[in-house]
Amino acid sequence: MARTAGKNAADWPLRWDLLLRYRLIEVIALWEGRLTTNHLQRAFGIGRQQASKDINHYLAEYAPGNLDYDRSLKGYKPASTFKPVFTRGVADEYLQMMHAREDLSCAFETLDVRELNTEVLLPPSRDLRPSVLRPILQACRDNLRVEIQYASLSNPEPEYRVIQPHTVVHSGMRWHVRAWCEKNSDYRDFVLSRIQDEPELTLPGEHHAEQDDAWQERLTLQVTPDPRLSPAQQAVIALDYGMTDGALTIECRAAMANYIVQLLRLDGPQHRDPEAQQVVLANRDEVKGWLWGTN
């Protein structure tokens, strides 16, 4: 989040409710092209007067000239000189807002928070229970070892393990925890929905994130259009992914590279139709030492 010129830390709003309102102002104005007090009213359950005050305060104190009032739209639109202050100005921020609305609509059927003409397809929820996540997070915070009963595809019968977790991760499809495994004497990923019982916190551990080589190592993945596509088709894919000079550069932790490969379906171009594959990992030889099944 960028600070406006002339603002120091003492002037910066720290209240979460204000930060969220200002973020919504920017996201709605930038991506939908029309902001009204009704957007704030519906999102935060506030009155029209308070919503108007929030918009005016945003413009007066943090982003002068960012919005223009358009009488024909009966709302605000982004000015030609619009510059994000509370957001990065990327489409993922709009997607996150749509996800939040979809989650609320699913949980509270009578709550009207969806906007017209937008809908989000949510992936199926995995069976992650609070009784599992709470102690795992506490172990991460306090550097504790944890006893779990765990089932995996290689060992489908649940067995007791002792792990020391350091970071909970969502891979885009499921939750897992990065942890030292005492059975294998190595850092591993444990899928949280496969923990059978309630984790039991035990003694302090000696293995931390700083010692996890795959967690500390940084990789660069070079993603390019599938070379089997025609030049015109490759140009379409490059535009679709926002590639620069025909490549998309993704920086990540080595421990996370496999999940990016899976999400982008970069793990089998030789078997999949090029129009279905679309993109490939161009520097596979450079990073294959960190990928599953390629050593």
Side-chain angles (χ1 to χ4, degrees):
M1 183 190 302
R3 284 196 174 102
T4 52
K7 288 289 178 184
N8 57 45
D11 297 324
W12 199 247
L14 297 179
R15 285 173 46 191
W16 275 104
D17 60 332
L18 287 177
L19 291 174
L20 292 174
R21 291 180 202 181
Y22 297 154
R23 282 179 62 82
L24 182 135
I25 287 172
E26 290 191 349
V27 170
I28 291 292
L30 180 60
W31 295 103
E32 295 191 0
R34 176 178 178 267
L35 170 76
T36 69
T37 54
N38 191 49
H39 286 107
L40 291 169
Q41 289 177 256
R42 293 174 60 193
F44 298 101
I46 58 178
R48 186 174 301 278
Q49 184 176 0
Q50 181 61 55
S52 180
K53 179 180 178 181
D54 289 337
I55 295 173
N56 290 333
H57 193 261
Y58 165 81
L59 289 171
E61 296 295 324
Y62 302 104
N66 250 8
L67 304 177
D68 293 328
Y69 188 81
D70 189 315
R71 293 185 180 277
S72 63
L73 291 176
K74 297 182 179 179
Y76 293 88
K77 66 180 182 181
S80 58
T81 56
F82 180 90
K83 184 177 181 180
V85 177
F86 293 90
T87 60
R88 292 175 296 139
V90 296
D92 279 356
E93 292 166 328
Y94 184 56
L95 176 62
Q96 290 166 8
M97 186 186 69
M98 291 170 62
H99 269 287
R101 289 171 171 173
E102 193 71 23
D103 284 339
L104 285 171
S105 294
C106 292
F108 305 99
E109 294 181 359
T110 59
L111 187 61
D112 182 21
V113 294
R114 284 193 182 99
E115 292 297 324
L116 296 175
N117 311 117
T118 61
E119 190 158 341
V120 177
L121 178 62
L122 299 177
S125 298
R126 299 297 178 103
D127 182 28
L128 174 55
R129 304 179 305 280
S131 60
V132 168
L133 184 58
R134 284 195 300 261
I136 292 294
L137 286 174
Q138 182 179 346
C140 292
R141 291 193 303 266
D142 298 336
N143 297 318
L144 298 175
R145 297 159 72 228
V146 188
E147 292 183 0
I148 62 173
Q149 190 176 359
Y150 190 75
S152 65
L153 294 181
S154 57
N155 293 287
E157 291 297 324
E159 61 178 348
Y160 281 98
R161 302 275 193 101
V162 177
I163 64 174
Q164 186 187 346
H166 65 71
T167 308
V168 170
V169 177
H170 190 270
S171 68
M173 291 298 293
R174 67 186 184 187
W175 293 91
H176 70 264
V177 64
R178 185 75 178 169
W180 172 264
C181 175
E182 294 196 358
K183 174 187 175 182
N184 296 290
S185 297
D186 194 10
Y187 287 95
R188 300 287 179 94
D189 296 338
F190 293 87
V191 180
L192 293 181
S193 57
R194 294 178 182 172
I195 295 178
Q196 305 290 309
D197 58 345
E198 295 185 10
E200 182 177 343
L201 299 172
T202 62
L203 300 173
E206 300 175 349
H207 300 276
H208 313 296
E210 292 76 17
Q211 300 159 283
D212 186 348
D213 291 340
W215 188 257
Q216 298 300 329
E217 181 75 16
R218 307 293 300 193
L219 297 184
T220 298
L221 305 181
Q222 292 287 341
V223 180
T224 62
D226 192 317
R228 297 174 295 172
L229 295 170
S230 71
Q233 289 174 317
Q234 292 185 46
V236 171
I237 297 301
L239 181 62
D240 188 24
Y241 282 84
M243 296 181 179
T244 301
D245 296 328
L248 174 66
T249 299
I250 302 176
E251 304 286 341
C252 67
R253 297 183 186 275
M256 299 291 99
N258 285 290
Y259 300 106
I260 296 173
V261 166
Q262 287 183 333
L263 283 174
L264 295 180
R265 302 188 301 174
L266 300 173
D267 47 353
Q270 66 273 25
H271 303 304
R272 192 176 291 128
D273 181 89
E275 292 189 8
Q277 177 61 36
Q278 299 189 0
V279 291
V280 298
L281 183 59
N283 63 333
R284 181 178 297 274
D285 288 343
E286 296 177 23
V287 301
K288 66 180 182 180
W290 298 102
L291 301 180
W292 295 324
T294 57
N295 294 320

